Amino acid sequence: MDAQRRGRGDQIDPADQWVLNPNTGEYELRLTPSGAQSPVSGTRGSTPPTRAGGARTDVPPQRRRRGAPEEPPPGRRGGRRPVQRKPKKAKKALVWTGGTMAFVLVGVGAAGYFYLQHLEGNVTTTDVGSAGASNFSKDEAFSILIIGTDKRTGEGNEGYGDKGSSGHADTTILLHVAKDRSNATALSIPRDLIVNIPDCPTKLEDGSEKIVPGQQGVRFNRSLGEGGRDPGCTMRTVKENTGIQVDHFMMADFNAVKTLTTAVDGVDVCVEKPVNDKESKLVLPAGPSKVEGEQALAFVRTRKSFGNSGDLDRIKVQQQFLGSLMRKMSSGDTLTSPSKLLKLAEAATKALTVDQAIGSVGTLKDVALELKKVPTKNISFATVPVVDNPAERVKATVVLDQSKAPQVFDMIRNDVSFTAVKEQKKKEKDAEAARLKGTKAPASEVRVRILNGGAVAGSAQKTLQYLQVEEGVTKSENGGNAPAELARTTLEYGPDEADQARRLADIMGLSGSALKPGESVTNSQGLPAMTLTLGKDFKGAGVKLDAPVEAADVEKSTADKVKCAS
């Protein structure tokens, strides 16, 4: 793994650096616990000043060694330069789930983005090459693979994970955010899922590249760590087995669960029965409780006390925990507390490893702000549909449930929410419905060119035959392939063709959203015509497209609901 690591020398607690002055309403920089505060120029929430070229002028000094003389205040420094410590080697290990990293950035983006310039120095990046996107787009849907490993690391974590292991993908969540930010899906991938791992180009520490050979029919958790496989290999494995393109990844170490939950003063959880787990040392009464630090880590790693003591039941508990953590981080108590926000951000970024495309401070801020646009009630948690491996007598692994999994993957690729999004844009919905209302032209007067924009080969010709022979749309013609593929079928029409569009929509089963008011094209007879582009959702000539899309039959939850683990 070719990770570029940045220094993480001991620093003053960020909560002691930035404070909100109630008299001025401005954030102020406290250089030392006893030193005077220095107001930040500009209005409340403004970005600290920079030197020419972008260098920060307000970066706090390194914490001095115990017993060393105190540094002179700014403006009175002598010739002595502050002691510079060598940066500590960044940790490669990752936590049970890095999902907390994505969600904590939401809080940072909401009220403390000015501090991200400092936090950038905490972040570790890994070059995954072509496995992910080359940049982050604020105008497109995006998928982030959140990875947690079982590698032991960090003080106090000796009792967790696989001692001596290079780390496997112990817990993995694919977070997909819809293009319009109306919804997001956090899809858990079981570590014991049998998959095919493709050949993985991997960057080595010396800058060279090697190909780690793929494997067929092995556990998903082997896509990371084994044979030198990096997070890019886990991303490629997800694409290989689900068809979903992964754009970025995030990982974090064990300490993140401890420090993050402590930073927000604990996370609320709920269990249906009392828990006294000897292995994880988790002890909780029935009903609601608050966990933080070591107890929070025990909660998300406990297996024997929930369900059938398997990994799938542990996944459900982790999803409930993440939902609770998200609610806590987006609560007014957290977002209005500069101290909590800074401690939270500091803890998160020190544990964070990401791909190079999102490793800059500006991009991390953009990711945070885009995530914040999604209401928590529209963030769904689900697990890849699986069944027991039929090849095993003693059930230890699982395989994809082919009756359900393809629909789940298709919904994610097409930005379809796993739960009904109640608060849709009413004006847009009304406008779409209105396009279907009104007079309909006779089928014989409908002029349309049919293009294939992602449907099965030959679909345009078969649709042409169906419209002409079965429906009497004789003024139709095959326009060949569309310039680009579309996920969904569309019908574009000119201002004077609305009645024709309504007739064709009725015949084809097109929804109001498929009708696109626009411009006419000229057909082979030199007359204006509509353009019907058959997308990937096309079901075949004569098969209507307006059958309602139903949520996949998978167990799911949302981030705004409190649920007790059982």
Side-chain angles (χ1 to χ4, degrees):
M1 183 183 302
D2 182 21
Q4 298 178 356
R5 310 200 179 274
R6 303 183 177 94
R8 297 183 185 173
D10 291 341
Q11 304 241 346
I12 299 173
D13 188 331
D16 291 334
Q17 295 172 345
W18 293 95
V19 296
L20 181 65
N21 188 327
N23 296 322
T24 65
E26 297 179 352
Y27 286 101
E28 298 180 349
L29 177 65
R30 178 182 292 158
L31 297 175
T32 66
S34 59
Q37 296 179 358
S38 176
V40 177
S41 61
T43 59
R44 178 177 177 177
S46 61
T47 304
T50 59
R51 297 189 186 98
R56 288 272 300 276
T57 60
D58 61 334
V59 175
Q62 298 268 345
R63 177 177 291 173
R64 56 193 177 90
R65 292 195 178 100
R66 188 184 302 275
E70 185 173 346
E71 288 289 326
R76 293 189 296 169
R77 292 185 181 272
R80 178 185 175 189
R81 300 180 64 184
V83 176
Q84 298 291 330
R85 293 188 177 187
K86 293 183 179 180
K88 295 181 179 179
K89 187 176 181 180
K91 300 175 182 177
K92 294 182 180 179
L94 319 170
V95 74
W96 60 277
T97 176
T100 49
M101 300 303 98
F103 302 132
V104 73
L105 288 174
V106 176
V108 176
Y113 68 86
F114 62 87
Y115 192 62
L116 282 174
Q117 197 164 359
H118 157 70
L119 299 178
E120 183 176 354
N122 293 342
V123 180
T124 301
T125 63
T126 296
D127 184 359
V128 296
S130 62
S134 59
N135 55 26
F136 176 76
S137 174
K138 295 186 289 184
D139 301 320
E140 299 294 334
F142 62 91
S143 295
I144 299 178
L145 194 64
I146 300 163
I147 308 172
T149 184
D150 54 10
K151 181 177 179 179
R152 296 187 182 191
T153 185
E155 185 178 352
N157 291 325
E158 293 81 5
Y160 302 106
D162 185 8
K163 186 175 183 179
S165 168
S166 58
H168 297 95
D170 185 56
T171 299
T172 307
I173 296 176
L174 178 63
L175 175 66
H176 178 80
V177 181
K179 181 176 180 178
D180 64 1
R181 309 301 186 244
S182 65
N183 68 87
T185 300
L187 184 68
S188 294
I189 303 175
R191 66 179 186 177
D192 296 327
L193 175 65
I194 296 300
V195 297
N196 295 328
I197 300 176
D199 292 344
C200 297
T202 305
K203 291 288 184 70
L204 303 179
E205 292 185 359
D206 61 3
S208 63
E209 183 178 287
K210 75 170 183 177
I211 304 295
V212 181
Q215 291 178 286
Q216 305 292 307
V218 297
R219 296 180 194 237
F220 176 82
N221 68 343
R222 296 174 65 178
S223 66
L224 178 70
E226 189 167 311
R229 293 183 177 121
D230 64 6
C233 190
T234 309
M235 297 166 71
R236 296 176 192 274
T237 301
V238 171
K239 174 68 181 299
E240 175 83 7
N241 293 272
T242 69
I244 300 171
Q245 177 63 52
V246 182
D247 302 305
H248 310 286
F249 82 88
M250 289 185 176
M251 305 191 300
D253 64 27
F254 275 139
N255 287 319
V257 176
K258 301 179 185 179
T259 55
L260 288 174
T261 53
T262 300
V264 295
D265 293 336
V267 172
D268 295 324
V269 298
C270 182
V271 294
E272 290 187 356
K273 300 176 181 179
V275 175
N276 189 352
D277 192 291
K278 294 182 180 179
E279 291 189 13
S280 68
K281 299 179 176 58
L282 178 67
V283 179
L284 290 175
S289 297
K290 182 181 289 187
V291 296
E292 66 176 272
E294 194 72 38
Q295 192 180 31
L297 183 56
F299 182 82
V300 299
R301 293 190 59 81
T302 293
R303 299 177 64 175
K304 302 299 182 182
S305 298
F306 302 121
N308 296 320
S309 302
D311 187 52
L312 295 179
D313 292 299
R314 186 181 67 153
I315 285 175
K316 296 177 185 177
V317 173
Q318 292 174 349
Q319 291 172 346
Q320 294 163 19
F321 177 86
L322 266 181
S324 181
L325 179 58
M326 290 169 62
R327 290 192 298 274
K328 188 63 178 287
M329 289 193 295
S330 61
S331 68
D333 181 56
T334 300
L335 295 180
T336 58
S337 171
S339 175
K340 283 185 181 180
L341 278 176
L342 297 182
K343 287 182 179 179
L344 195 59
E346 193 79 15
T349 52
K350 280 185 177 179
L352 185 64
T353 300
V354 301
D355 56 288
Q356 290 184 339
I358 59 173
S360 71
V361 59
T363 307
L364 286 175
K365 181 195 70 175
D366 289 341
V367 173
L369 294 178
E370 292 307 305
L371 283 169
K372 188 182 185 308
K373 294 177 181 178
V374 184
T376 56
K377 66 180 179 179
N378 294 340
I379 300 176
S380 303
F381 291 95
T383 303
V384 171
V386 296
V387 294
D388 289 334
N389 189 347
E392 296 175 336
R393 284 189 176 182
V394 178
K395 304 303 180 184
T397 62
V398 293
V399 296
L400 290 178
D401 183 344
Q402 294 298 337
S403 68
K404 297 179 181 179
Q407 183 187 3
V408 169
F409 303 150
D410 186 67
M411 289 174 67
I412 291 177
R413 285 193 297 267
N414 291 304
D415 280 2
V416 178
S417 176
F418 275 59
T419 55
V421 180
K422 296 180 180 179
E423 295 183 5
Q424 296 289 352
K425 299 176 181 178
K426 191 174 184 305
K427 290 184 179 180
E428 292 184 7
K429 287 295 181 182
D430 290 344
E432 291 174 359
R435 294 170 194 164
L436 298 174
K437 296 179 181 179
T439 59
K440 299 180 180 69
S444 60
E445 294 182 7
V446 174
R447 294 187 299 272
V448 60
R449 294 182 72 242
I450 307 167
L451 304 179
N452 191 329
V456 175
S459 293
Q461 183 60 32
K462 290 180 180 179
T463 300
L464 174 66
Q465 294 172 349
Y466 164 74
L467 290 176
Q468 290 184 339
V469 177
E470 301 293 334
E471 299 293 342
V473 184
T474 56
K475 297 177 181 177
S476 52
E477 60 185 37
N478 186 347
N481 292 327
E485 292 188 352
L486 299 179
R488 300 183 182 182
T489 299
T490 63
L491 176 62
E492 184 176 359
Y493 56 96
D496 299 327
E497 297 171 329
D499 57 342
Q500 296 183 44
R502 285 190 285 267
R503 173 59 65 191
L504 191 59
D506 184 57
I507 294 172
M508 298 285 297
L510 299 175
S511 66
S513 62
L515 271 60
K516 306 295 182 183
E519 297 180 357
S520 301
V521 294
T522 302
N523 65 12
S524 59
Q525 304 299 317
L527 298 173
M530 302 181 295
T531 302
L532 174 66
T533 305
L534 306 178
K536 294 180 180 179
D537 64 337
F538 182 68
K539 302 176 182 178
V543 181
K544 294 201 173 188
L545 286 161
D546 59 357
V549 178
E550 297 181 357
D553 183 20
V554 294
E555 187 173 351
K556 50 191 173 288
S557 60
T558 53
D560 65 321
K561 295 292 191 302
V562 178
K563 193 173 182 180
C564 292
S566 60

